[in-house]
Amino acid sequence: VQADGTDGNCVTFVLHDEDHTLGNSLRYMVMKNPDVEFCGYCITHPSESKINFRIQTRGSLPAVEPFRKGLNDLMGVCQHVLNTFEVSLLPQELRD
């Protein structure tokens, strides 16, 4: 991840080897934060696997904080989905 920005509350993060799967999911999680004024991403070119992910926050909140929180929240959701799936594979008598 590279971060480019002249101001700490408006930063473009460059995510290498990623696509819409992470971009759209992370954008959704970051936009749930009321302190985020803008969040969006674009794929630079179809032949490149890189995302420009931009966050702009209100006030003096550094953009890296909602970025980090969004990543952690997304990991939590993914872990919950994985745990639910694994439990569903257990025989009924072991689920309870």
Coordinates of all heavy atoms in Angstrom, one line a residue:
V1 N 0.9 -1.2 0.0 CA 0.0 0.0 0.0 C 0.9 1.2 0.0 O 1.8 1.3 0.8 CB -0.9 0.0 1.2 CG1 -1.7 1.3 1.3 CG2 -1.8 -1.2 1.3
Q2 N 0.6 2.1 -0.9 CA 1.3 3.4 -0.9 C 0.2 4.5 -0.6 O -1.0 4.3 -0.9 CB 1.8 3.8 -2.3 CG 2.9 2.8 -2.8 CD 3.2 3.1 -4.3 OE1 2.4 3.5 -5.0 NE2 4.4 2.8 -4.7
A3 N 0.6 5.6 0.0 CA -0.4 6.6 0.3 C 0.1 7.9 -0.2 O 1.3 8.3 0.0 CB -0.6 6.7 1.8
D4 N -0.7 8.6 -1.0 CA -0.3 9.9 -1.6 C -1.4 10.9 -1.2 O -2.5 10.7 -1.3 CB -0.2 9.8 -3.1 CG 0.8 8.8 -3.6 OD1 1.9 8.8 -3.0 OD2 0.6 8.1 -4.5
G5 N -0.9 12.1 -0.7 CA -1.9 13.1 -0.4 C -1.1 14.3 0.2 O -0.2 14.1 0.9
T6 N -1.6 15.5 -0.1 CA -1.0 16.7 0.5 C -1.5 17.0 1.9 O -0.9 17.7 2.6 CB -1.2 17.9 -0.4 OG1 -2.6 18.1 -0.6 CG2 -0.6 17.7 -1.8
D7 N -2.7 16.5 2.2 CA -3.4 16.7 3.4 C -3.6 15.4 4.1 O -4.0 14.4 3.4 CB -4.7 17.5 3.1 CG -5.3 18.0 4.4 OD1 -4.8 17.7 5.5 OD2 -6.3 18.7 4.2
G8 N -3.5 15.3 5.4 CA -3.7 14.1 6.1 C -5.1 13.6 6.1 O -5.4 12.4 6.3
N9 N -6.1 14.5 5.8 CA -7.5 14.0 5.8 C -8.0 13.7 4.4 O -9.2 13.4 4.3 CB -8.4 15.0 6.6 CG -8.6 16.3 5.9 OD1 -7.8 16.7 5.1 ND2 -9.7 16.9 6.1
C10 N -7.2 13.8 3.4 CA -7.6 13.5 2.1 C -6.4 12.8 1.4 O -5.4 13.4 1.0 CB -7.9 14.8 1.3 SG -8.6 14.4 -0.3
V11 N -6.5 11.4 1.3 CA -5.4 10.6 0.9 C -5.9 9.6 -0.1 O -7.0 9.1 0.0 CB -4.8 9.9 2.1 CG1 -3.7 8.9 1.7 CG2 -4.3 10.9 3.2
T12 N -5.0 9.3 -1.1 CA -5.2 8.2 -2.0 C -4.3 7.1 -1.7 O -3.1 7.3 -1.7 CB -5.0 8.7 -3.5 OG1 -5.9 9.8 -3.8 CG2 -5.2 7.6 -4.5
F13 N -4.9 6.0 -1.4 CA -4.1 4.8 -1.1 C -4.0 3.9 -2.4 O -5.0 3.8 -3.1 CB -4.7 3.9 0.0 CG -4.9 4.7 1.3 CD1 -6.0 5.4 1.6 CD2 -3.9 4.7 2.2 CE1 -6.2 6.1 2.8 CE2 -4.0 5.4 3.4 CZ -5.2 6.1 3.7
V14 N -2.8 3.4 -2.7 CA -2.7 2.6 -3.9 C -2.5 1.1 -3.4 O -1.6 0.8 -2.7 CB -1.4 3.0 -4.7 CG1 -1.3 2.1 -5.9 CG2 -1.5 4.5 -5.1
L15 N -3.5 0.3 -3.8 CA -3.5 -1.1 -3.3 C -3.1 -2.0 -4.5 O -3.8 -2.0 -5.6 CB -4.9 -1.5 -2.9 CG -5.5 -0.6 -1.8 CD1 -7.0 -1.0 -1.6 CD2 -4.7 -0.6 -0.5
H16 N -2.0 -2.6 -4.4 CA -1.4 -3.5 -5.5 C -2.0 -4.9 -5.4 O -2.3 -5.4 -4.3 CB 0.1 -3.5 -5.4 CG 0.7 -2.1 -5.6 ND1 1.0 -1.6 -6.8 CD2 1.1 -1.2 -4.7 CE1 1.5 -0.4 -6.7 NE2 1.6 -0.1 -5.4
D17 N -2.1 -5.5 -6.6 CA -2.6 -6.9 -6.7 C -4.0 -7.0 -6.1 O -4.3 -8.0 -5.5 CB -1.7 -7.9 -6.1 CG -0.3 -7.9 -6.7 OD1 -0.3 -7.7 -8.0 OD2 0.7 -8.0 -6.0
E18 N -4.9 -6.0 -6.3 CA -6.3 -6.1 -5.9 C -7.2 -5.7 -7.0 O -6.8 -5.1 -8.0 CB -6.5 -5.2 -4.6 CG -5.7 -5.6 -3.4 CD -6.1 -7.0 -2.9 OE1 -7.2 -7.5 -3.2 OE2 -5.3 -7.5 -2.1
D19 N -8.5 -6.0 -6.8 CA -9.5 -5.7 -7.8 C -10.8 -5.2 -7.2 O -10.8 -4.8 -6.0 CB -9.7 -6.9 -8.8 CG -10.2 -8.1 -8.0 OD1 -10.6 -8.0 -6.9 OD2 -10.2 -9.2 -8.6
H20 N -11.9 -5.3 -7.9 CA -13.2 -4.8 -7.4 C -13.7 -5.5 -6.1 O -14.4 -5.0 -5.4 CB -14.3 -4.9 -8.5 CG -14.1 -4.0 -9.6 ND1 -14.3 -2.6 -9.5 CD2 -13.7 -4.2 -10.9 CE1 -14.1 -2.0 -10.7 NE2 -13.7 -2.9 -11.5
T21 N -13.2 -6.8 -6.0 CA -13.7 -7.6 -4.8 C -13.3 -6.8 -3.5 O -14.2 -6.6 -2.7 CB -13.1 -9.0 -4.8 OG1 -13.4 -9.6 -6.1 CG2 -13.6 -9.8 -3.7
L22 N -12.1 -6.4 -3.4 CA -11.7 -5.7 -2.2 C -12.2 -4.3 -2.3 O -12.6 -3.7 -1.3 CB -10.2 -5.8 -2.0 CG -9.7 -5.0 -0.8 CD1 -10.2 -5.6 0.5 CD2 -8.2 -4.9 -0.8
G23 N -12.0 -3.6 -3.4 CA -12.3 -2.2 -3.6 C -13.8 -1.9 -3.1 O -14.0 -1.0 -2.3
N24 N -14.7 -2.6 -3.7 CA -16.1 -2.3 -3.4 C -16.5 -2.6 -1.9 O -17.2 -1.9 -1.3 CB -17.1 -3.0 -4.4 CG -18.4 -2.4 -4.4 OD1 -18.6 -1.2 -4.2 ND2 -19.4 -3.2 -4.5
S25 N -16.0 -3.8 -1.4 CA -16.3 -4.2 0.0 C -15.7 -3.2 0.9 O -16.3 -2.8 1.9 CB -15.7 -5.6 0.2 OG -16.3 -6.5 -0.7
L26 N -14.5 -2.8 0.7 CA -13.8 -1.8 1.6 C -14.4 -0.5 1.5 O -14.6 0.2 2.5 CB -12.3 -1.7 1.3 CG -11.4 -0.9 2.1 CD1 -11.5 -1.3 3.6 CD2 -10.0 -0.9 1.7
R27 N -14.8 0.0 0.3 CA -15.5 1.3 0.2 C -16.8 1.3 1.0 O -17.1 2.2 1.7 CB -15.9 1.5 -1.3 CG -16.5 2.9 -1.5 CD -17.2 3.0 -2.8 NE -18.2 1.9 -3.0 CZ -19.4 1.9 -2.5 NH1 -19.8 2.9 -1.7 NH2 -20.3 0.9 -2.7
Y28 N -17.6 0.2 1.0 CA -18.8 0.1 1.8 C -18.5 0.2 3.3 O -19.2 0.9 4.0 CB -19.5 -1.2 1.5 CG -20.7 -1.5 2.4 CD1 -21.9 -0.9 2.1 CD2 -20.6 -2.3 3.5 CE1 -23.0 -1.1 2.9 CE2 -21.7 -2.5 4.3 CZ -22.9 -1.9 4.0 OH -24.0 -2.1 4.8
M29 N -17.5 -0.5 3.7 CA -17.2 -0.5 5.2 C -16.7 0.9 5.6 O -17.1 1.4 6.7 CB -16.1 -1.5 5.5 CG -16.5 -3.0 5.3 SD -18.1 -3.4 6.1 CE -17.5 -3.7 7.7
V30 N -15.9 1.6 4.8 CA -15.3 2.9 5.2 C -16.5 3.9 5.2 O -16.5 4.8 6.0 CB -14.2 3.3 4.2 CG1 -13.8 4.7 4.4 CG2 -13.0 2.4 4.4
M31 N -17.4 3.8 4.2 CA -18.5 4.8 4.1 C -19.5 4.7 5.3 O -20.2 5.6 5.5 CB -19.2 4.7 2.8 CG -18.5 5.3 1.6 SD -18.1 7.1 1.9 CE -19.8 7.8 2.0
K32 N -19.4 3.6 6.1 CA -20.3 3.5 7.2 C -19.8 4.5 8.3 O -20.6 4.8 9.2 CB -20.3 2.1 7.7 CG -21.0 1.1 6.8 CD -20.9 -0.3 7.2 CE -21.6 -0.6 8.5 NZ -21.7 -2.0 8.8
N33 N -18.6 5.0 8.2 CA -18.1 5.9 9.2 C -18.6 7.3 9.0 O -18.4 7.8 7.9 CB -16.5 5.9 9.1 CG -15.9 6.7 10.2 OD1 -16.4 7.6 10.8 ND2 -14.6 6.3 10.5
P34 N -19.3 7.9 10.0 CA -19.9 9.2 9.7 C -18.9 10.3 9.6 O -19.2 11.4 9.0 CB -20.8 9.4 11.0 CG -20.2 8.5 12.0 CD -19.6 7.4 11.3
D35 N -17.7 10.1 9.9 CA -16.6 11.1 9.8 C -16.0 11.1 8.4 O -15.2 12.0 8.1 CB -15.5 10.9 10.8 CG -16.0 11.2 12.2 OD1 -16.9 12.1 12.4 OD2 -15.6 10.5 13.2
V36 N -16.4 10.2 7.5 CA -15.9 10.1 6.2 C -16.8 10.9 5.3 O -18.0 10.7 5.2 CB -15.8 8.6 5.7 CG1 -15.4 8.6 4.2 CG2 -14.7 7.9 6.6
E37 N -16.2 11.9 4.6 CA -17.0 12.7 3.7 C -17.1 12.1 2.3 O -18.1 12.2 1.6 CB -16.3 14.1 3.6 CG -17.1 15.1 2.8 CD -16.5 16.5 3.0 OE1 -15.3 16.6 3.3 OE2 -17.2 17.5 2.7
F38 N -16.0 11.5 1.9 CA -15.9 10.9 0.5 C -15.0 9.6 0.6 O -14.0 9.6 1.3 CB -15.3 11.8 -0.5 CG -15.1 11.2 -1.8 CD1 -16.1 11.0 -2.7 CD2 -13.8 10.7 -2.2 CE1 -15.9 10.4 -4.0 CE2 -13.6 10.1 -3.4 CZ -14.7 9.9 -4.3
C39 N -15.5 8.6 -0.1 CA -14.7 7.4 -0.3 C -15.0 6.8 -1.6 O -16.2 6.6 -1.9 CB -14.9 6.4 0.9 SG -14.0 4.9 0.7
G40 N -14.0 6.5 -2.4 CA -14.2 5.9 -3.7 C -12.9 5.2 -4.2 O -11.9 5.5 -3.6
Y41 N -13.1 4.4 -5.2 CA -11.9 3.8 -5.8 C -12.0 3.7 -7.3 O -13.1 3.8 -7.8 CB -11.7 2.4 -5.1 CG -12.7 1.4 -5.7 CD1 -12.3 0.5 -6.7 CD2 -13.9 1.2 -5.2 CE1 -13.2 -0.5 -7.2 CE2 -14.8 0.3 -5.6 CZ -14.4 -0.6 -6.7 OH -15.3 -1.5 -7.2
C42 N -10.9 3.5 -7.9 CA -10.9 3.2 -9.3 C -9.8 2.2 -9.7 O -8.8 2.2 -9.0 CB -10.8 4.5 -10.2 SG -9.3 5.3 -10.1
I43 N -10.0 1.4 -10.7 CA -9.0 0.5 -11.2 C -8.3 1.4 -12.3 O -9.0 1.9 -13.2 CB -9.6 -0.7 -11.8 CG1 -10.5 -1.4 -10.8 CG2 -8.6 -1.6 -12.4 CD1 -9.9 -2.5 -10.0
T44 N -7.0 1.5 -12.2 CA -6.3 2.4 -13.1 C -6.4 2.0 -14.5 O -6.5 2.8 -15.4 CB -4.8 2.5 -12.7 OG1 -4.2 1.1 -12.6 CG2 -4.6 3.1 -11.3
H45 N -6.3 0.7 -14.8 CA -6.4 0.1 -16.2 C -6.7 -1.3 -16.1 O -6.2 -2.0 -15.2 CB -5.0 0.3 -16.9 CG -5.1 0.0 -18.3 ND1 -4.9 -1.2 -18.8 CD2 -5.3 0.8 -19.4 CE1 -5.0 -1.2 -20.2 NE2 -5.3 0.0 -20.5
P46 N -7.5 -1.9 -17.0 CA -7.9 -3.3 -16.9 C -6.7 -4.3 -16.9 O -6.8 -5.4 -16.4 CB -8.8 -3.5 -18.2 CG -9.3 -2.2 -18.5 CD -8.2 -1.2 -18.1
S47 N -5.6 -3.9 -17.5 CA -4.5 -4.8 -17.5 C -3.6 -4.7 -16.3 O -2.7 -5.5 -16.1 CB -3.6 -4.6 -18.8 OG -3.0 -3.3 -18.7
E48 N -3.9 -3.7 -15.4 CA -3.1 -3.6 -14.1 C -4.0 -4.0 -13.0 O -5.2 -3.8 -12.9 CB -2.7 -2.1 -13.9 CG -1.8 -1.6 -14.9 CD -1.4 -0.2 -14.6 OE1 -1.5 0.3 -13.5 OE2 -1.0 0.6 -15.5
S49 N -3.4 -4.8 -12.1 CA -4.2 -5.2 -10.9 C -3.8 -4.2 -9.7 O -3.1 -4.6 -8.8 CB -3.8 -6.6 -10.5 OG -2.5 -6.8 -10.3
K50 N -4.3 -3.0 -9.8 CA -4.0 -2.0 -8.8 C -5.2 -1.1 -8.7 O -5.9 -0.8 -9.7 CB -2.7 -1.3 -9.2 CG -2.6 0.1 -8.9 CD -1.2 0.6 -9.3 CE -1.2 1.6 -10.4 NZ 0.0 2.4 -10.5
I51 N -5.5 -0.7 -7.5 CA -6.6 0.2 -7.1 C -6.1 1.5 -6.6 O -5.2 1.5 -5.7 CB -7.5 -0.5 -6.1 CG1 -8.2 -1.7 -6.6 CG2 -8.6 0.5 -5.6 CD1 -9.0 -2.5 -5.6
N52 N -6.7 2.6 -7.0 CA -6.5 3.9 -6.3 C -7.7 4.1 -5.4 O -8.9 4.2 -5.9 CB -6.4 5.0 -7.3 CG -5.1 5.1 -8.1 OD1 -4.1 4.5 -7.6 ND2 -5.1 5.6 -9.2
F53 N -7.5 4.1 -4.1 CA -8.6 4.1 -3.1 C -8.5 5.4 -2.4 O -7.5 5.7 -1.6 CB -8.4 2.9 -2.2 CG -9.6 2.7 -1.3 CD1 -10.6 1.8 -1.8 CD2 -9.7 3.2 -0.1 CE1 -11.7 1.6 -1.0 CE2 -10.8 3.0 0.7 CZ -11.9 2.2 0.2
R54 N -9.4 6.3 -2.6 CA -9.4 7.7 -2.0 C -10.3 7.9 -0.8 O -11.5 7.5 -0.9 CB -9.6 8.7 -3.1 CG -9.4 10.1 -2.6 CD -9.3 11.0 -3.8 NE -9.0 12.4 -3.5 CZ -7.8 12.9 -3.3 NH1 -6.7 12.1 -3.5 NH2 -7.6 14.1 -3.1
I55 N -9.9 8.5 0.2 CA -10.7 8.8 1.4 C -10.5 10.2 1.8 O -9.4 10.7 1.8 CB -10.3 7.9 2.6 CG1 -10.5 6.4 2.3 CG2 -11.1 8.3 3.8 CD1 -10.0 5.5 3.4
Q56 N -11.6 10.9 2.0 CA -11.6 12.3 2.5 C -12.4 12.3 3.8 O -13.6 11.9 3.7 CB -12.1 13.3 1.5 CG -12.0 14.7 1.9 CD -12.4 15.7 0.8 OE1 -12.4 15.3 -0.3 NE2 -12.8 16.9 1.2
T57 N -11.9 12.8 4.9 CA -12.6 12.9 6.1 C -13.0 14.3 6.5 O -12.4 15.3 5.9 CB -11.7 12.3 7.3 OG1 -10.5 13.1 7.4 CG2 -11.4 10.8 7.0
R58 N -13.9 14.4 7.4 CA -14.3 15.7 7.9 C -13.4 16.1 9.0 O -12.9 15.3 9.8 CB -15.8 15.6 8.4 CG -16.8 15.4 7.3 CD -18.2 15.4 7.9 NE -19.2 15.3 6.9 CZ -19.6 14.2 6.3 NH1 -19.1 13.0 6.8 NH2 -20.5 14.2 5.4
G59 N -13.2 17.4 9.2 CA -12.4 17.9 10.3 C -10.9 17.5 10.2 O -10.4 17.4 9.2
S60 N -10.4 17.2 11.4 CA -8.9 16.9 11.4 C -8.6 15.4 11.5 O -7.5 15.0 11.8 CB -8.3 17.6 12.6 OG -8.9 17.1 13.8
L61 N -9.6 14.5 11.3 CA -9.4 13.1 11.4 C -8.5 12.6 10.3 O -8.9 12.8 9.1 CB -10.8 12.3 11.3 CG -10.7 10.8 11.4 CD1 -10.2 10.3 12.8 CD2 -12.0 10.2 11.0
P62 N -7.4 12.0 10.5 CA -6.5 11.5 9.5 C -7.2 10.4 8.7 O -7.9 9.5 9.3 CB -5.3 11.0 10.2 CG -5.3 11.5 11.6 CD -6.8 11.8 11.9
A63 N -7.1 10.4 7.4 CA -7.7 9.4 6.5 C -7.3 8.0 6.8 O -8.0 7.1 6.5 CB -7.5 9.8 5.0
V64 N -6.1 7.9 7.3 CA -5.6 6.5 7.6 C -6.4 5.8 8.6 O -6.5 4.6 8.6 CB -4.1 6.5 7.9 CG1 -3.8 7.1 9.3 CG2 -3.5 5.2 7.7
E65 N -7.0 6.5 9.5 CA -7.8 5.9 10.6 C -9.0 5.2 10.1 O -9.3 4.0 10.4 CB -8.1 6.9 11.7 CG -6.9 7.3 12.5 CD -7.3 8.2 13.7 OE1 -8.4 8.2 14.2 OE2 -6.4 9.0 14.1
P66 N -9.9 5.8 9.3 CA -11.1 5.1 8.8 C -10.6 4.0 7.8 O -11.3 3.0 7.6 CB -11.9 6.1 8.1 CG -11.1 7.3 8.0 CD -10.0 7.2 9.0
F67 N -9.5 4.2 7.1 CA -9.0 3.1 6.2 C -8.6 1.9 7.0 O -9.0 0.8 6.7 CB -7.7 3.7 5.5 CG -7.1 2.7 4.5 CD1 -7.8 2.3 3.4 CD2 -5.8 2.2 4.7 CE1 -7.2 1.4 2.5 CE2 -5.3 1.3 3.8 CZ -5.9 0.9 2.7
R68 N -7.9 2.1 8.1 CA -7.5 1.0 9.0 C -8.7 0.3 9.6 O -8.8 -0.9 9.7 CB -6.5 1.5 10.0 CG -5.8 0.4 10.8 CD -4.8 0.9 11.7 NE -3.6 1.3 10.9 CZ -2.9 2.5 11.1 NH1 -3.3 3.3 12.0 NH2 -1.9 2.8 10.4
K69 N -9.7 1.1 10.1 CA -10.9 0.6 10.7 C -11.7 -0.2 9.7 O -12.2 -1.2 10.0 CB -11.7 1.7 11.3 CG -13.0 1.2 12.0 CD -13.7 2.4 12.7 CE -15.0 2.0 13.4 NZ -15.6 0.7 13.1
G70 N -11.8 0.3 8.5 CA -12.5 -0.4 7.4 C -11.9 -1.7 7.1 O -12.7 -2.7 7.0
L71 N -10.6 -1.8 7.1 CA -9.9 -3.1 6.8 C -10.2 -4.0 8.0 O -10.5 -5.2 7.7 CB -8.4 -2.9 6.6 CG -8.0 -2.3 5.3 CD1 -6.5 -1.9 5.4 CD2 -8.2 -3.2 4.2
N72 N -10.1 -3.6 9.2 CA -10.4 -4.4 10.4 C -11.8 -4.9 10.4 O -12.1 -6.1 10.7 CB -10.0 -3.7 11.7 CG -8.5 -3.6 11.8 OD1 -7.7 -4.5 11.4 ND2 -8.0 -2.5 12.5
D73 N -12.7 -4.0 10.1 CA -14.2 -4.4 10.1 C -14.5 -5.4 9.1 O -15.2 -6.3 9.3 CB -15.0 -3.1 9.9 CG -15.0 -2.2 11.1 OD1 -14.5 -2.6 12.2 OD2 -15.5 -1.1 11.0
L74 N -13.9 -5.2 7.9 CA -14.1 -6.1 6.8 C -13.5 -7.5 7.1 O -14.1 -8.5 6.8 CB -13.4 -5.6 5.5 CG -13.7 -6.4 4.2 CD1 -15.2 -6.6 4.0 CD2 -13.0 -5.7 3.0
M75 N -12.3 -7.5 7.8 CA -11.8 -8.8 8.2 C -12.7 -9.5 9.2 O -12.9 -10.7 9.2 CB -10.4 -8.6 8.8 CG -9.3 -8.4 7.8 SD -7.6 -8.5 8.4 CE -7.6 -8.0 10.0
G76 N -13.3 -8.7 10.1 CA -14.3 -9.3 11.1 C -15.5 -9.9 10.4 O -15.9 -11.0 10.8
V77 N -16.0 -9.2 9.4 CA -17.2 -9.7 8.7 C -16.8 -11.0 8.0 O -17.5 -12.0 8.0 CB -17.7 -8.7 7.7 CG1 -18.7 -9.3 6.7 CG2 -18.3 -7.5 8.4
C78 N -15.6 -11.0 7.3 CA -15.2 -12.2 6.6 C -15.0 -13.4 7.6 O -15.3 -14.5 7.2 CB -13.9 -11.9 5.8 SG -14.1 -10.8 4.4
Q79 N -14.4 -13.1 8.7 CA -14.2 -14.2 9.7 C -15.5 -14.7 10.2 O -15.7 -15.9 10.4 CB -13.4 -13.6 10.9 CG -12.9 -14.7 11.9 CD -12.0 -15.7 11.2 OE1 -11.0 -15.4 10.6 NE2 -12.4 -17.0 11.3
H80 N -16.5 -13.9 10.4 CA -17.9 -14.3 10.8 C -18.5 -15.2 9.8 O -19.1 -16.3 10.1 CB -18.8 -13.1 11.1 CG -20.2 -13.5 11.4 ND1 -20.6 -14.1 12.5 CD2 -21.3 -13.4 10.6 CE1 -21.9 -14.3 12.5 NE2 -22.3 -13.9 11.3
V81 N -18.4 -14.8 8.5 CA -18.9 -15.6 7.4 C -18.2 -17.0 7.4 O -18.9 -18.0 7.2 CB -18.8 -14.9 6.1 CG1 -19.1 -15.8 4.9 CG2 -19.7 -13.7 6.0
L82 N -16.9 -17.0 7.5 CA -16.2 -18.3 7.5 C -16.6 -19.2 8.7 O -16.8 -20.4 8.5 CB -14.7 -18.0 7.5 CG -13.7 -19.2 7.6 CD1 -13.9 -20.0 6.3 CD2 -12.3 -18.8 7.8
N83 N -16.7 -18.6 9.9 CA -17.1 -19.4 11.0 C -18.5 -19.9 10.9 O -18.7 -21.1 11.2 CB -17.0 -18.5 12.3 CG -15.6 -18.1 12.7 OD1 -14.7 -18.7 12.2 ND2 -15.5 -17.1 13.5
T84 N -19.4 -19.1 10.4 CA -20.8 -19.6 10.1 C -20.8 -20.8 9.1 O -21.5 -21.8 9.3 CB -21.7 -18.5 9.6 OG1 -21.6 -17.4 10.6 CG2 -23.1 -18.9 9.4
F85 N -20.0 -20.6 8.1 CA -19.9 -21.7 7.0 C -19.3 -23.0 7.6 O -19.9 -24.1 7.4 CB -19.1 -21.2 5.9 CG -18.8 -22.2 4.8 CD1 -19.8 -22.6 4.0 CD2 -17.6 -22.9 4.7 CE1 -19.6 -23.6 3.0 CE2 -17.4 -23.8 3.8 CZ -18.4 -24.2 2.9
E86 N -18.3 -22.8 8.4 CA -17.7 -24.0 9.0 C -18.6 -24.7 10.0 O -18.6 -26.0 10.0 CB -16.3 -23.7 9.7 CG -15.2 -23.3 8.7 CD -14.0 -22.8 9.3 OE1 -14.0 -22.4 10.5 OE2 -12.9 -22.8 8.6
V87 N -19.4 -24.0 10.8 CA -20.3 -24.6 11.7 C -21.4 -25.3 10.9 O -21.9 -26.4 11.3 CB -20.9 -23.5 12.6 CG1 -22.2 -24.0 13.3 CG2 -19.9 -23.0 13.6
S88 N -21.8 -24.8 9.8 CA -22.9 -25.4 9.0 C -22.4 -26.7 8.4 O -23.3 -27.6 8.0 CB -23.3 -24.5 7.9 OG -22.4 -24.4 6.8
L89 N -21.1 -27.0 8.3 CA -20.6 -28.2 7.8 C -20.6 -29.3 8.8 O -20.5 -30.5 8.5 CB -19.2 -28.0 7.2 CG -19.1 -27.1 6.0 CD1 -17.6 -27.0 5.6 CD2 -19.9 -27.6 4.8
L90 N -20.7 -28.9 10.1 CA -20.7 -29.9 11.2 C -22.0 -30.7 11.2 O -23.0 -30.2 10.8 CB -20.5 -29.2 12.6 CG -19.2 -28.5 12.8 CD1 -19.3 -27.7 14.1 CD2 -18.1 -29.5 12.9
P91 N -21.9 -31.9 11.7 CA -23.2 -32.7 11.8 C -24.1 -32.0 12.9 O -23.6 -31.3 13.8 CB -22.7 -34.1 12.4 CG -21.3 -34.1 12.1 CD -20.8 -32.7 12.0
Q92 N -25.4 -32.2 12.7 CA -26.4 -31.4 13.5 C -26.1 -31.6 15.0 O -26.2 -30.7 15.8 CB -27.8 -31.9 13.2 CG -28.9 -31.2 14.0 CD -28.9 -29.7 13.7 OE1 -28.8 -29.3 12.6 NE2 -29.2 -28.9 14.7
E93 N -25.8 -32.8 15.5 CA -25.6 -33.1 16.9 C -24.4 -32.4 17.5 O -24.3 -32.1 18.7 CB -25.5 -34.6 17.2 CG -24.3 -35.3 16.5 CD -24.7 -35.8 15.1 OE1 -25.8 -35.6 14.6 OE2 -23.9 -36.5 14.5
L94 N -23.4 -32.0 16.6 CA -22.2 -31.2 17.1 C -22.4 -29.7 17.1 O -21.6 -29.0 17.7 CB -21.0 -31.6 16.3 CG -20.5 -33.1 16.4 CD1 -19.3 -33.3 15.5 CD2 -20.2 -33.4 17.8
R95 N -23.4 -29.2 16.4 CA -23.7 -27.8 16.3 C -24.1 -27.2 17.6 O -23.9 -26.0 17.8 CB -24.7 -27.5 15.2 CG -24.2 -27.7 13.8 CD -25.2 -27.2 12.8 NE -25.0 -28.1 11.6 CZ -25.8 -28.0 10.6 NH1 -26.8 -27.2 10.6 NH2 -25.6 -28.8 9.5
D96 N -24.9 -27.9 18.3 CA -25.4 -27.3 19.6 C -24.5 -27.4 20.6 O -23.9 -27.0 21.3 CB -26.7 -28.0 20.0 CG -27.8 -27.9 18.8 OD1 -27.8 -26.9 18.2 OD2 -28.5 -28.9 18.7

